Amino acid sequence: MSAKTKSFDLNQFLATRTDAVNAALDKFIPSEKTKPATIHKAMRYSLFAGGKRMRPAVLLAAAEACGGTDKAAMPLACAVECIHTYSLIHDDLPAMDNDDFRRGKPTNHKVFGEGIAVLAGDALLTQAFEIAAQAASWPRYSHRDLVLEIAKASGSLQLVGGQVADLEGENKKLSIAELKFIHERKTSALLCCSVRLGGMSANCTPAQLKALTDFGYNVGLAFQVIDDILDVTQTSEQLGKTAGKDVAVQKATYPSIVGLEKSRKIAADLTAKAFAALNIFKGKAVALEALAEFLLKREK
Ligand code: GRG
């Protein structure tokens, strides 16, 4: 880590960007009173339940590294958070992970019922594309490119595909290669897409986009390895979601296959690869570097 990154005030970066993302989301999403009110209440309930806003944060940081602005990147930051929140609502449903607790609150279906929770997820997924369509296009990246980016990361080859492989892998012994296949799709794809969209919102060069892709892919994988570690080392109160779930449903994870210590080493190695990808930014990617470090050391 460079001296510049060490002195970078990540807490301030996260606080100001989270506030800005929340304010933008508040404008994009219909108010709680808009009819039919239940669906908008349900969408807002999960969207504003206190998520870490990591995908918007990496997106805005990538835009900054490429000389872009928060203003241009903001619609895309909101779009990826809508996709992420939809995936959490659906993942928590009884037909999937069957969880009662998320972002420190009862899950969406516990409050609004399963039908509305399914629809709140559907509406957030659709809303993401409506918001992305309101972003600017750029000489190097058209609206078509931006929409394709989000659709590809969210569809059956990536996010949904990862969730399918995850469901089908329950109660089975998986190899590290099979687990990586799940993590690349379930977690890394949307994080990588977020980083790339940040660059695209700044009209980044092809070389910058390649660097951001390498960074996002490796940080995304590290994020899931850490998530697996936290599931066994933290409490539900610390995480704001049910801890120990992976062991309870005998889910294959890095700690269950290679142990905690090796899992920590794998996460650190992936983060080092992510750092190396940022070399071409010559010190301009301090926010991205600080975020990668933060994600490696996070406790929730
Ligand atoms: C239902 C299509 C579909 C996909 C679900 C999101 C997901 C895929 C499953 C949830 C479980 C899980 C471990 C997903 C991997 C991604 C991940 C670690 C999500 C949690 O992200 P955080 O920690 O959550 O950024 P917050 O609440 O802080 O936004």
Side-chain angles (χ1 to χ4, degrees), residues 50-55 81 84-92 96-97 102-103 154 159-163 166 186-188 223-224 227-228 241 246 251 298 300:
K52 294 185 292 295
R53 304 289 193 235
M54 280 303 130
R55 291 144 195 87
E81 188 61 23
H84 170 57
T85 304
Y86 124 73
S87 77
L88 297 179
I89 295 174
H90 280 193
D91 183 66
D92 291 332
M96 294 212 206
D97 239 20
R102 167 77 67 184
R103 292 178 162 172
S154 315
L159 180 66
V160 170
Q163 181 75 349
D166 189 72
K186 191 179 80 171
T187 313
S188 183
F223 190 88
Q224 185 58 55
D227 206 68
D228 287 358
K241 61 182 180 182
D246 297 339
K251 192 173 266 191
R298 74 193 168 101
K300 65 176 191 164

Side-chain angles (χ1 to χ4, degrees), residues 173 179 228 232 247 250-260 263:
K173 264 203 171 338
L179 188 60
D228 287 358
V232 286
V247 178
Q250 293 187 318
K251 192 173 266 191
T253 63
Y254 273 84
S256 74
I257 299 179
V258 300
L260 266 178
S263 300

Side-chain angles (χ1 to χ4, degrees), residues 11-230:
N11 285 336
Q12 205 230 354
F13 177 88
L14 285 175
T16 53
R17 296 330 187 263
T18 298
D19 284 352
V21 168
N22 289 346
L25 279 170
D26 189 41
K27 284 197 183 136
F28 281 124
I29 309 292
S31 78
E32 285 204 356
K33 288 190 183 142
T34 308
K35 284 185 185 169
T38 319
I39 188 70
H40 300 122
K41 275 190 189 145
M43 289 160 78
R44 284 175 166 269
Y45 174 80
S46 292
L47 207 46
F48 295 109
K52 294 185 292 295
R53 304 289 193 235
M54 280 303 130
R55 291 144 195 87
V58 292
L59 193 153
L60 297 174
E64 234 166 74
C66 300
T69 63
D70 283 1
K71 189 166 181 279
M74 196 54 80
L76 299 170
C78 291
V80 293
E81 188 61 23
C82 286
I83 302 263
H84 170 57
T85 304
Y86 124 73
S87 77
L88 297 179
I89 295 174
H90 280 193
D91 183 66
D92 291 332
L93 286 167
M96 294 212 206
D97 239 20
N98 192 17
D99 224 311
D100 295 350
F101 193 46
R102 167 77 67 184
R103 292 178 162 172
K105 291 182 162 185
T107 42
N108 200 288
H109 65 273
K110 283 277 155 192
V111 178
F112 296 96
E114 284 178 42
I116 294 295
V118 169
L119 292 167
D122 293 342
L124 284 169
L125 171 60
T126 314
Q127 184 82 53
F129 289 94
E130 187 177 327
I131 297 174
Q134 293 170 57
S137 62
W138 300 91
R140 288 195 186 96
Y141 307 102
S142 64
H143 276 109
R144 175 182 178 277
D145 296 321
L146 300 175
V147 167
L148 257 180
E149 190 70 29
I150 301 175
K152 280 190 173 172
S154 315
S156 62
L157 294 179
Q158 296 295 336
L159 180 66
V160 170
Q163 181 75 349
V164 171
D166 189 72
L167 279 176
E168 292 181 345
E170 274 177 18
N171 299 311
K172 283 194 191 130
K173 264 203 171 338
L174 298 187
S175 66
I176 281 287
E178 288 166 323
L179 188 60
K180 197 171 164 210
F181 177 94
I182 295 174
H183 287 190
E184 280 172 344
R185 286 155 186 80
K186 191 179 80 171
T187 313
S188 183
L190 191 58
L191 265 154
C192 187
C193 159
S194 305
V195 178
R196 282 169 54 89
L197 284 170
M200 290 162 98
S201 78
N203 198 37
C204 67
T205 64
Q208 287 174 326
L209 191 60
K210 161 86 176 66
L212 292 175
T213 307
D214 291 346
F215 173 84
Y217 172 79
N218 285 298
V219 160
L221 283 182
F223 190 88
Q224 185 58 55
V225 179
I226 298 292
D227 206 68
D228 287 358
I229 293 172
L230 296 177

